Amino acid sequence: MPYHRADTSAQADKLSGIVEESDLYEGFAPHVETSEIKTLDFYNLPKQTGKEPALRSFTEIQQLLQQNKKRDVKNILRENSWPINSPIRSQLWPALCAQHLTKQNMLDGFYWEMVHQVFGTTELSEKPIMLPAFVDATHCLPYHLTSTGRAVADRIVNVLGYDCPDITYSPVLYPITSLLLHFMSEEEAYLCLAGLVGSKEKTFINQTKLQHEVTWKTVMQIAKKHTKSAIAYFQRICPGQKLERVFMDWCWWILAGLPFQHLVRIMDCYFHEGIKVLYRVALVILNLFHKECQSNNEWSPDNIKNDIGNALIKFCKKIPVSPAKLLHAAFSIRGLSTQYISRIFIKTEMLLKSRSALNSGSKQLIKSRSSDNLPTSQSQVNIQMMSHTLTIREKLHSESCRNLLFTLWSWLPVRITMYQPVLLYTTEEHGCSLTTFYVRVEQHEPTLLMIKTCNNEVFGAYCSSRWLERNVKDDKGQRQAYFGTGETFLFSLYPERAKYPWVGIEGDRDLGHSSELFMAADSKMITIGGGEGQAIWMDENIRFGKTDACKTFNNPPLCPSGDFEIRVLEVYGFVGV
């Protein structure tokens, strides 16, 4: 019988608690082997006292999504423990993933056109499909999919790889595909994946080896702060085992270890909030495992010291708390904000990149020309295009100008150099007005600001975040003073060539608030860098500015006098980012 999401909508809205055993599998798609899905053990079942509020319906959540009330949706997803078989997920998961979809041209039939383009037919082949290189064959977890369901998952992953050639390493992509297919059709699962992979605002699925490594190292850094006792215990009983080897498999504690009931509830929140949900669950697993090690002989030091990683996965299979308690503990962890996680992630990413460059022979990465990203043939084309619009090249020989641009290009994040630069704003053409600057620039991320002074100094900044973020308000309704991330950096091109990255990449120590003052702006000024001075400050008429040493970038003033008059300001964006 064909599987139609609409068939379950009435059931999804009426469902308000644990259903009868005879209806246990009504919420699953037809390509699921429902006989394999075990019911919850007694200690995991929610206590029914008659006082619990009814579970929320999809209609209620859909209305909140349409009103962009993301915080309300988040709270509902965290608090409502829909049964494993609830039909709500056949509508809820696609709606949550659709929030993140950036390819708005995916009309009806898009997926099947792609299937036909890749395979020459929309008929499902009986022969095994060779999976893309980014899939980890050891972790193609099907969960409870039938053989047909697995073939469908194989096809989805292949089509996604064809449509997203930038994905080079993504071991979690296949398990996520399998989970989606438990509650929806093949086409819907593909659209959900497209939303998760293409999301700009939140991270859901890592897509390169670098991102994969940065992620597990980020989890390890967070765990060292938030699960100190557990980390100290593991290091004490296994002095010869590197902690890194344990955390390399952190995502498999969840995806390969936890019971299916727990995993589905985690996904309810993950599809809305992103990978930070998994970070929180991993910390709870560590703490629970540590407690069990102290009270349960099964997890005694002698039994786990030779392979803590494998012991953790085995522990997760028998985790002694319900899905609701697991999530409650995960979301009760304090001091684990999105901003904090982002800072750790970016710091870790930049440390890995800088060490890679140092290992390859570049000993002057921090404040001099970098060889980390030598121009490719496409980069040279992009640089040539940029040089045609560059008004700061005045009084510089064309060869000298190209050399400066090659230097600047080598300092950009590697992923950005794949995109074509485009001139968004120049005072030569668009006038000297901060209002015009915002109109032309504020929606773009990242941007490259280049200033030429009336004394012919040339300097600027790579700004990682949209200037529109100057209007973002915190939970208290206050406009945030500073925004941006640790990818932001300063540079000087003439008469000196130097790069001044964020000081946070130089070590793991906490440098305090003054080291994270990346960008600030309002109707009267723009500021880049802060802490005992402002690296770049410009007035509302984009005519006068000043530059000081600052703590965020540990830079000297970018021009000798400190004060400067702007001759030309140019701002570049990147097409396709």
Side-chain angles (χ1 to χ4, degrees), residues 111-113 115-116 119-125 155 186:
Y111 172 69
W112 294 112
E113 289 179 9
V115 169
H116 196 276
F119 296 103
T121 178
T122 57
E123 295 296 322
L124 193 62
S125 174
R155 183 160 70 175
E186 178 176 355

Side-chain angles (χ1 to χ4, degrees), residues 350-370:
M350 298 185 77
L351 280 170
L352 282 176
K353 286 181 177 178
S354 63
R355 286 170 184 168
S356 173
L358 289 172
N359 291 338
S360 64
S362 173
K363 300 298 183 182
Q364 303 177 28
L365 175 68
I366 301 302
K367 294 183 181 175
S368 66
R369 187 170 184 170
S370 165

